Amino acid sequence: MLERFFPSEYTDSIRQINYRKLYDEGYRGILFDIDNTLVPYDMEHPNQEIIDLFEDIKKIGFKIALVSNNNKIRVTTFNEKLKVFAVHKALKPMTRNLKRAMQAIKTNKKNTVLVGDQIFTDIYGGNRIKIKTILVVPIAEKEEWITKIKRNTEKKIIKAYLKRVKKNESKH
Ligand SMILES: [Mg+2]
């Protein structure tokens, strides 16, 4: 029952993701959430680290899209320097804009990865269309009250997920 909220992978941050390995496994597109995944949600522009990371990822051969539930100003301002395909007000976990982003970067369900910090929007959305999902630890905890409430529930799911991973590992 909780499985639909489980990510394919869970990692500390976007820096810990092995993009080369993902490429070798056949993945070609990455859909990034912005707030608390790439930068804290009050950071208007990407820092140099993000700009460099995006360049590196593109050099490997990936297409990148930003898929954010935040508003137009937030997303277009953040994307000014990055210049990737970007969706604002994506309404994740609804899947329509995830599909739209994949269409725009010409990837599909089999070769696209979604990276985000929220289980009920990012991970659940990605799972609904059956793409690979990577959950990262949120960058900043300075968040809206509604997100704070969700975090507690998310912690419970992560605990169940890690328990499952451990159980599966001991089987091998
Ligand atoms: Mg987020």
Side-chain angles (χ1 to χ4, degrees), residues 33-39 92 116-118 121-122 138 143 151:
D33 169 55
I34 298 176
D35 297 319
N36 272 329
T37 296
L38 296 176
V39 294
K92 295 172 285 183
D117 70 300
Q118 286 202 47
T121 54
D122 304 314
E143 293 169 313
R151 291 284 178 218

Coordinates of all heavy atoms in Angstrom, one line a residue, residues 33-39 92 116-118 121-122 138 143 151, ligand 1:
D33 N 12.8 18.7 -9.9 CA 12.1 19.6 -9.1 C 13.1 20.8 -8.7 O 14.3 20.6 -8.8 CB 11.6 18.9 -7.8 CG 11.0 19.8 -6.8 OD1 10.1 20.6 -7.1 OD2 11.5 19.8 -5.6
I34 N 12.6 21.9 -8.4 CA 13.5 23.0 -8.1 C 13.6 23.2 -6.6 O 14.7 23.0 -6.0 CB 13.0 24.4 -8.7 CG1 12.9 24.3 -10.2 CG2 13.9 25.5 -8.3 CD1 12.4 25.5 -10.9
D35 N 12.5 23.6 -5.9 CA 12.6 24.0 -4.5 C 13.0 22.9 -3.6 O 12.4 21.8 -3.5 CB 11.3 24.6 -4.1 CG 10.9 25.8 -4.9 OD1 11.8 26.6 -5.1 OD2 9.7 26.0 -5.2
N36 N 14.1 23.1 -2.9 CA 14.6 22.2 -1.9 C 15.2 20.9 -2.5 O 15.7 20.0 -1.8 CB 13.6 21.8 -0.8 CG 13.6 22.8 0.3 OD1 14.6 23.3 0.6 ND2 12.4 23.0 0.9
T37 N 15.2 20.9 -3.8 CA 15.9 19.8 -4.5 C 17.2 20.3 -5.1 O 18.3 19.8 -4.8 CB 15.0 19.2 -5.6 OG1 13.8 18.6 -5.1 CG2 15.8 18.1 -6.5
L38 N 17.1 21.4 -5.9 CA 18.2 22.0 -6.5 C 18.8 23.1 -5.6 O 20.0 23.2 -5.4 CB 17.9 22.6 -7.8 CG 17.5 21.6 -8.9 CD1 17.1 22.4 -10.2 CD2 18.6 20.7 -9.2
V39 N 17.9 24.0 -5.0 CA 18.3 25.1 -4.2 C 17.2 25.3 -3.1 O 16.1 24.8 -3.3 CB 18.5 26.4 -5.0 CG1 19.6 26.4 -6.0 CG2 17.1 26.8 -5.7
K92 N 2.1 18.6 -9.7 CA 2.5 17.3 -9.3 C 1.7 17.0 -8.0 O 1.6 17.9 -7.2 CB 4.0 17.2 -9.0 CG 4.9 17.5 -10.2 CD 6.4 17.6 -9.8 CE 6.7 18.9 -9.2 NZ 8.1 19.1 -8.8
G116 N 13.4 14.6 -7.0 CA 12.7 15.6 -6.2 C 12.8 15.3 -4.7 O 13.3 14.2 -4.3
D117 N 12.3 16.2 -3.9 CA 12.5 16.1 -2.4 C 11.2 15.8 -1.7 O 11.2 15.5 -0.5 CB 13.0 17.4 -1.8 CG 12.0 18.5 -1.9 OD1 11.6 18.9 -3.0 OD2 11.6 19.0 -0.8
Q118 N 10.1 15.7 -2.5 CA 8.8 15.5 -1.8 C 8.1 14.2 -2.3 O 8.0 14.0 -3.5 CB 7.8 16.7 -2.0 CG 8.2 17.9 -1.2 CD 7.0 18.8 -1.0 OE1 5.9 18.4 -0.7 NE2 7.2 20.1 -1.2
T121 N 4.3 14.8 -3.9 CA 4.2 15.5 -5.2 C 5.2 14.8 -6.2 O 4.7 14.2 -7.2 CB 4.6 17.0 -5.0 OG1 5.8 17.1 -4.4 CG2 3.5 17.7 -4.2
D122 N 6.5 14.9 -5.9 CA 7.5 14.4 -6.9 C 7.4 12.9 -7.1 O 7.2 12.4 -8.2 CB 8.9 14.8 -6.4 CG 9.0 16.3 -6.2 OD1 8.5 17.1 -7.1 OD2 9.5 16.7 -5.2
P138 N 15.5 17.1 1.5 CA 15.3 18.5 1.2 C 16.4 19.4 1.7 O 16.9 19.2 2.8 CB 14.0 18.8 2.0 CG 13.7 17.6 2.8 CD 14.5 16.5 2.3
E143 N 10.1 26.0 5.5 CA 9.1 25.8 4.5 C 7.7 26.2 5.0 O 7.5 26.6 6.1 CB 9.0 24.3 4.3 CG 10.3 23.8 3.6 CD 10.3 22.3 3.6 OE1 10.1 21.7 4.6 OE2 10.6 21.7 2.5
R151 N 5.9 16.6 5.9 CA 7.2 16.0 6.2 C 7.1 14.9 7.2 O 7.8 13.9 7.1 CB 8.2 17.1 6.7 CG 8.6 18.1 5.7 CD 9.6 17.5 4.8 NE 10.0 18.5 3.8 CZ 10.2 18.3 2.5 NH1 10.2 17.0 2.1 NH2 10.5 19.2 1.7
Ligands
MG1 MG 10.6 20.5 -3.8

